[in-house]
Amino acid sequence: METTKKYNPETYKTPTGSQLNCKGWVQEAALRMLLNNLDPEVAERPEDLIVYGGRGKAARNFESLDLIIKALKDLEEDETLVVQSGKPVGILPTHKDAPKVLISNSQLVPNWANWKHFDELEKKGLMMYGQMTAGSWIYIGSQGIVQGTYETFSAIANKDFDGSLKGTLTVTAGLGGMGGAQPLAVTMNDGVCVVAEVEQWRIDKRIKTKYLDESIEDMDAAIDRALEAKKNQERVSIGVPCNAVHLLERLKERNVIPDVLTDQTSAHDPLIGYVPHQISLEESNVLREQDPDKYEELSYESMYRHVELMLELQKAGAITFDYGNNLRARAQEKGLKNAFDFPGFVPAYIRPLFCEGKGPFRWAALSGDLADIAETDRVIKELFPENESLMRWMDMAQERIAFQGLPSRICWLGQGEREKAGLAFNKLVKEGKVKAPIVIGRDHLDTGSVASPNRETEAMLDGSDAVADWPLLNALVNTAGGASWVSLHHGGGVGMGYSIHAGMVIVADGTDDAEKRLKRVLRNDPGMGVIRHADAGYDIATDTARKHKLDIKERLK
Amino acid sequence: METTKKYNPETYKTPTGSQLNCKGWVQEAALRMLLNNLDPEVAERPEDLIVYGGRGKAARNFESLDLIIKALKDLEEDETLVVQSGKPVGILPTHKDAPKVLISNSQLVPNWANWKHFDELEKKGLMMYGQMTAGSWIYIGSQGIVQGTYETFSAIANKDFDGSLKGTLTVTAGLGGMGGAQPLAVTMNDGVCVVAEVEQWRIDKRIKTKYLDESIEDMDAAIDRALEAKKNQERVSIGVPCNAVHLLERLKERNVIPDVLTDQTSAHDPLIGYVPHQISLEESNVLREQDPDKYEELSYESMYRHVELMLELQKAGAITFDYGNNLRARAQEKGLKNAFDFPGFVPAYIRPLFCEGKGPFRWAALSGDLADIAETDRVIKELFPENESLMRWMDMAQERIAFQGLPSRICWLGQGEREKAGLAFNKLVKEGKVKAPIVIGRDHLDTGSVASPNRETEAMLDGSDAVADWPLLNALVNTAGGASWVSLHHGGGVGMGYSIHAGMVIVADGTDDAEKRLKRVLRNDPGMGVIRHADAGYDIATDTARKHKLDIKERLK
Ligand SMILES: NC(=O)c1ccc[n+]([C@@H]2O[C@H](COP(=O)([O-])OP(=O)(O)OC[C@H]3O[C@@H](n4cnc5c(N)ncnc54)[C@H](O)[C@@H]3O)[C@@H](O)[C@H]2O)c1
Ligand SMILES: NC(=O)c1ccc[n+]([C@@H]2O[C@H](COP(=O)([O-])OP(=O)(O)OC[C@H]3O[C@@H](n4cnc5c(N)ncnc54)[C@H](O)[C@@H]3O)[C@@H](O)[C@H]2O)c1
């Protein structure tokens, strides 16, 4: 089914500047963000259309990609392009306040919602795995996750170490699209970080983009360097080209107990993701093709051992948490009873933020001009001077974040704040203070957009972890409010069967129409999260709902 | 969690006439259709808020019902009410072309999408089962299904018996909200029908509403009567107060082979649905409360035996098909290997219609006035004089269908036809030829709105049975197009884990805005079905897509 066409960076270059290639800025934004997702600086493997997260793709195949591009260029202001698992299937009449693109990726009827069935469908060319922001065209490179990762490690620093990771050692694994942000987030919190990564080129890529400081091939040498740095309260991150399991085994043998322990290998996908420790990387690449069942068996065994080692180090004193890749569930599927003895990062650190409607607000300058992002940075700092951690983040981001593809920024904003920022950006465009419109989106890992019982909705107060009405309502509400494009995904982050989530992007093109849409969408989108958490019984959310007039009973009193 | 409040037919009486209780006709339509769903003439058990289909409810509990009513009365034209599994959770700012209500019912993350987890959540008051049109407020009583059932039995008559069921015996079971339409559909096709139903009151109710002709308590007497009628080419339907399994066993013992054999007991729900044959109805009601696990065990055993008997009668010559209740899957779960040896009704009879965008188009007169429906009937007959089977249906419907609740009508219309009908109805309202607006909807069992691998999407040409992107896109597209309310459901018809589907309702209030919305929504809604079937490789659908300009490649040529 796949066309033989190859990725050509010239053909698929992201347009920049203030000239339109489409019939309006909303369509243009979709076009630029789709191509930006595939920019070699941004995507993990553009030649396979893979953006990040194992096999998270932006389009089903090159034929579909070409057709989407054509459709976006042809799309009128009162039409909507419909995309089914990365393939454009229809252009339908709607109206100017309706989304210009509607996307659903890798959704399966629950009893068939497993990797085996998905793989069959994918082989037949009927499906695509969209991860979260890959298939919904709002990925902005590792930068996107740095802020979330930074928030997590700040929360750890605050909760467990008096506000800083100075003089502590964090051990983790995986330097992929998401995992690559870990070392930077740790050093931003002044700590030492050691990361196992099986592929040397990923380590090199992270060093090039300034997310990682050093690469040390010898495991023991790397551990020694880290211990030295910890003692000297240095802030440094070290990549080690090895399997996570081997690194943890060595730490255990040497009785080196990390202060903080986690993992971001692509455990959500036991076949095209996690690399088992029993064989070499080269052998694993061959085995995956020749005997996928055997590969999965090794993979599951390896993840069992991986979690076992994490539990042992936890017992020895490491603050241990699952970082959203579903590693614990894999080990449990394989029979490890106490796999869930260490918590997920959301209930441990993130949920209180969700209750205030806080989440990963991101934006990109469609002009491609760095000065435009500088302008938006200035606006954010002006708007929220009282938010100290936000101010600290903005400073560090400006100083340390290397842009990939279209210049972009991310920061966590809460209920009320997102509207303010969106409207301010629209004003910048209107007044010509930036050279082209600004596109605003968010990760699917957000307060109101996801049901994922092993990650974002783990251990909800009322037991509603698996209720998936919420992300679906989020997508419907954003469609009704007039977001620019809306998407629904299955299996993002944690793999098939484990999650349902919704994406949203909205363009600030400086028009009055956009102003109205921004006001609605940036209120309703986090609002659904506040409502969801208030419904589950979280007091912070109840207060936030009341404060922001989201409480239906108050309204109907 | 449940409030103790009882259903009171006076308090919850459906408003009729041309006076508004809400701030606009769209909100008013939602209010009237919600209350109509619960009208004792329409609903199976209004005292439990159960509309049809086992435990398909219209609202989570009485507290939620009251709050929804209040919200609808308070809702502005540019606002949207959000309903999560039958509970109103928010009123959010949108715009006049956005749906006034967005609903998601009983959606679960796939790995938790089973009855056991659902039951736990329901007990905690966190969920509700919405079936299809119960939780989306567009159920119109058994009448709604008569047309679909009529279409199925006509298709059988055409395919297997030269256009009529005269002189044939159809055996089935279940006289619930849906199943109750079977005897009438058979006699409308001039045949003889025997129906097993465990509850006498259901038989009586169907006789009262003219869906069933007779009730004969003694099984043998009933069979004798049927054989006599078959010989005399009479057209008659007979209800037998017994378990389906017992009736089939007796038929087998007496070597009476039905010409047509099917079943519509609520097999989708092994606990609060199917009644096992090993114990009496009274015992089953006690056991369900006291030992639900034991009940389910008996239920599964019974369904195993049920399917076994159907397979035996099929071998003996009966044209046998599954009528959408997932009975075969239950038997298979219990270990019956060849349970799927008889086909589902969709691939056998309905799919060719879906490929033309045909499906269950329905409408109700919000005035409550029979003359309004007569007016719409006239319009339909004027619009499509060349469609013979439609003409035959309209005549019989007018003659034989007893209205329940608000006067309503249903007929199957295809791509292009639905728009025409919708616009003509809007004109009737505009010109004052009817006393109040007309509300238009459809069943979720439609061409583009459902993924249900054991029913609507069984045995798709390309193997895409389980792909659930389609119903989700359908809901998003209808939200974007400006439907009046849009819903997403899980588990309707075939039970938890087995289906995802979308509902859509749109109000023809005579305004120019409504005209534009009707044009879009009634084109796009079946259009998504045509696109879905064309994508799967059905030639009829490809032709229909081309004819109606739904082909994206043609458009972008
Ligand atoms: N917590 C969050 O917020 C969050 C967000 C997004 C994704 N995730 C999850 O984190 C995981 C990583 O995401 P990604 O985008 O970085 O994926 P990716 O596929 O781009 O990268 C995974 C990396 O892990 C490496 N790897 C695989 N097995 C290994 C092993 N046994 N030892 C050492 N290295 C190994 C791979 O070589 C690869 O570089 C995914 O499961 C993803 O779903 C978490
Ligand atoms: N084919 C379709 O188009 C279609 C449409 C909707 C629903 N359905 C399915 O058809 C089934 C029936 O729907 P409904 O709305 O009528 O449900 P319902 O719960 O209102 O009625 C089911 C009836 O079956 C009876 N019954 C249960 N077990 C029995 C047994 N063993 N023997 C005899 N009678 C028994 C019950 O007493 C009840 O009257 C459901 O599973 C539903 O999902 C099919």
Side-chain angles (χ1 to χ4, degrees), chain A residues 63 70 74 79 84-85 87 93-95 104 107 109 111 466 468-469 480 497-498 520 524 535 553 555-556, chain B residues 63 70 74 79 84-85 87 93-95 104 107 109 111 466 468-469 480 497-498 520 524 535 553 555-556:
Chain A
E63 194 194 339
K70 218 168 167 180
D74 201 54
E79 290 184 322
Q84 183 257 324
S85 283
K87 178 182 177 182
T94 52
H95 55 80
S104 174
Q107 298 282 353
V109 177
N111 274 13
D469 291 324
Y498 286 100
R520 293 191 296 253
N524 297 346
D535 192 68
K553 286 197 182 164
R555 151 78 184 252
L556 297 173
Chain B
E63 194 193 338
K70 217 166 166 183
D74 201 54
E79 289 184 322
Q84 183 257 325
S85 283
K87 177 181 178 183
T94 52
H95 54 80
S104 175
Q107 299 282 354
V109 176
N111 274 13
D469 290 324
Y498 286 99
R520 294 191 295 252
N524 296 346
D535 192 68
K553 286 197 183 166
R555 152 78 185 254
L556 297 174

Side-chain angles (χ1 to χ4, degrees), chain B residues 122-397:
Chain B
E122 197 193 29
K123 253 187 215 121
K124 285 190 197 162
L126 294 172
M127 271 235 154
M128 172 194 95
Y129 182 52
Q131 265 284 12
M132 296 182 145
T133 53
S136 55
W137 316 340
I138 189 69
Y139 185 65
I140 52 170
S142 292
Q143 186 198 166
I145 204 71
V146 175
Q147 162 68 0
T149 317
Y150 167 81
E151 293 277 347
T152 307
F153 283 100
S154 302
I156 298 169
N158 286 329
K159 200 169 158 188
D160 304 314
F161 301 103
D162 297 323
S164 156
L165 294 181
K166 192 172 282 186
T168 69
L169 169 61
T170 297
V171 171
T172 184
L175 288 172
M178 294 283 126
Q182 298 176 100
L184 180 56
V186 172
T187 52
M188 277 183 164
N189 279 288
D190 298 331
V192 177
C193 186
V194 172
V195 196
E197 165 57 60
V198 285
E199 302 209 77
Q200 182 66 51
W201 70 268
R202 304 254 195 184
I203 296 180
D204 299 339
K205 185 164 178 175
R206 297 310 155 212
I207 290 179
K208 211 179 121 208
T209 51
K210 299 198 210 162
Y211 282 77
L212 182 71
D213 299 322
E214 303 175 7
S215 169
I216 302 185
E217 201 177 328
D218 180 76
M219 220 189 286
D220 278 313
I223 296 173
D224 293 340
R225 167 81 176 97
L227 290 174
E228 191 62 24
K230 172 177 166 167
K231 211 172 72 193
N232 299 335
Q233 304 207 333
E234 257 183 276
R235 111 186 152 182
V236 69
S237 59
I238 304 151
V240 193
C242 71
N243 195 293
V245 172
H246 294 141
L247 178 64
L248 298 191
E249 259 163 2
R250 190 75 195 115
L251 286 169
K252 204 191 118 193
E253 279 161 23
R254 290 184 52 176
N255 200 27
V256 174
I257 311 305
D259 298 290
V260 180
L261 175 62
T262 189
D263 178 71
Q264 276 206 343
T265 56
S266 352
H268 69 276
D269 190 335
L271 181 62
I272 308 175
Y274 193 84
V275 177
H277 72 283
Q278 304 90 325
I279 51 175
S280 72
L281 180 63
E282 293 67 35
E283 285 166 339
S284 78
N285 286 332
V286 175
L287 188 66
R288 187 184 292 115
E289 289 301 315
Q290 293 183 346
D291 191 350
D293 289 343
K294 178 73 193 163
Y295 185 103
E296 284 207 18
E297 200 187 310
L298 289 183
S299 200
Y300 269 96
E301 267 174 26
S302 185
M303 291 193 263
Y304 184 109
R305 180 68 191 135
H306 194 154
V307 173
E308 212 173 37
L309 283 162
M310 289 177 78
L311 288 165
E312 286 173 28
L313 290 166
Q314 180 190 30
K315 256 211 182 125
I319 292 168
T320 306
F321 63 95
D322 176 294
Y323 212 162
N325 58 358
N326 220 13
L327 186 65
R328 293 171 301 172
R330 299 300 170 208
Q332 196 183 48
E333 283 169 34
K334 187 73 191 170
L336 189 61
K337 292 245 164 58
N338 62 335
F340 278 75
D341 273 7
F342 55 86
F345 71 113
V346 175
Y349 303 110
I350 301 295
R351 186 152 308 139
L353 303 176
F354 281 169
C355 288
E356 294 182 67
K358 283 195 178 151
F361 184 83
R362 61 175 59 171
W363 64 96
L366 290 176
S367 64
D369 196 322
L370 300 183
D372 282 3
I373 282 297
E375 194 60 24
T376 56
D377 282 352
R378 193 189 52 72
V379 164
I380 292 287
K381 284 169 121 184
E382 255 176 45
L383 279 177
F384 312 109
E386 72 294 346
N387 186 335
E388 278 176 41
S389 100
L390 175 63
M391 290 304 109
R392 193 156 59 119
W393 161 257
M394 292 302 291
D395 290 337
M396 278 192 297

Side-chain angles (χ1 to χ4, degrees), chain A residues 23 60 63 67 70-71 74-76 79-85 87-95 97-99 102-113 117 121 124 126-127 333 451-454 462-470 472-473 475-477 479-482 486-488 490 496-500 519-520 523-524 527-528 531 535 549-550 552-553 555-557, chain B residues 23 60 63 67 70-71 74-76 79-85 87-95 97-99 102-113 117 121 124 126-127 333 451-454 462-470 472-473 475-477 479-482 486-488 490 496-500 519-520 523-524 527-528 531 535 549-550 552-553 555-557:
Chain A
K23 297 178 179 174
R60 202 185 296 177
E63 194 194 339
L67 207 59
K70 218 168 167 180
D74 201 54
L75 202 67
E76 302 290 341
E79 290 184 322
T80 296
L81 170 66
V82 183
V83 178
Q84 183 257 324
S85 283
K87 178 182 177 182
V89 295
I91 293 177
L92 297 172
T94 52
H95 55 80
D97 278 319
L102 294 169
I103 298 171
S104 174
N105 286 326
S106 40
Q107 298 282 353
L108 290 164
V109 177
N111 274 13
W112 289 261
H117 193 70
L121 291 168
K124 286 189 196 160
L126 295 171
M127 272 234 154
E333 283 169 33
S452 186
N454 291 352
D462 62 347
S464 61
D465 309 19
V467 174
D469 291 324
W470 299 104
L472 297 178
L473 288 171
L476 294 177
V477 162
T479 303
V486 173
S487 56
L488 273 167
H490 163 227
M496 290 296 139
Y498 286 100
S499 62
I500 298 286
K519 217 165 161 170
R520 293 191 296 253
R523 170 183 158 78
N524 297 346
M528 283 299 296
I531 288 172
D535 192 68
K549 302 207 186 315
L550 290 161
I552 187 171
K553 286 197 182 164
R555 151 78 184 252
L556 297 173
K557 229 174 22 203
Chain B
K23 297 178 179 173
R60 201 185 296 178
E63 194 193 338
L67 206 58
K70 217 166 166 183
D74 201 54
L75 202 65
E76 302 291 340
E79 289 184 322
T80 296
L81 171 66
V82 182
V83 178
Q84 183 257 325
S85 283
K87 177 181 178 183
V89 294
I91 294 178
L92 296 172
T94 52
H95 54 80
D97 278 318
L102 293 169
I103 298 171
S104 175
N105 287 326
S106 38
Q107 299 282 354
L108 290 165
V109 176
N111 274 13
W112 289 261
H117 193 70
L121 291 169
K124 285 190 197 162
L126 294 172
M127 271 235 154
E333 283 169 34
S452 184
N454 292 351
D462 61 347
S464 61
D465 310 19
V467 175
D469 290 324
W470 299 103
L472 298 178
L473 288 170
L476 295 178
V477 162
T479 302
V486 173
S487 55
L488 273 167
H490 163 229
M496 290 296 139
Y498 286 99
S499 61
I500 298 287
K519 218 165 162 170
R520 294 191 295 252
R523 171 184 159 79
N524 296 346
M528 283 300 297
I531 288 172
D535 192 68
K549 302 205 186 314
L550 289 161
I552 189 171
K553 286 197 183 166
R555 152 78 185 254
L556 297 174
K557 233 180 11 207

Side-chain angles (χ1 to χ4, degrees), chain A residues 44 52-54 131 145 174-179 196-199 202 242-244 264-268 273-275 323-325 345 445 455 493-494:
Chain A
E44 293 292 315
Y52 77 95
Q131 264 286 12
I145 204 71
L175 287 172
M178 294 283 125
E197 164 57 61
V198 284
E199 304 208 77
R202 304 252 196 185
C242 70
N243 196 291
Q264 276 207 342
T265 56
S266 349
H268 69 276
Y274 193 84
V275 177
Y323 211 162
N325 59 357
F345 72 112
L445 183 170
R455 201 163 94 176
V494 281

Side-chain angles (χ1 to χ4, degrees), chain B residues 36-73:
Chain B
N36 188 56
N37 258 17
L38 291 168
D39 184 312
E41 270 186 28
V42 177
E44 294 292 314
R45 295 204 328 261
E47 63 279 14
D48 298 318
L49 301 176
I50 287 174
V51 182
Y52 78 94
R55 47 173 152 168
K57 291 169 82 173
R60 201 185 296 178
N61 50 35
F62 279 96
E63 194 193 338
S64 291
L65 176 63
D66 291 344
L67 206 58
I68 293 171
I69 293 170
K70 217 166 166 183
L72 289 172
K73 289 184 177 167

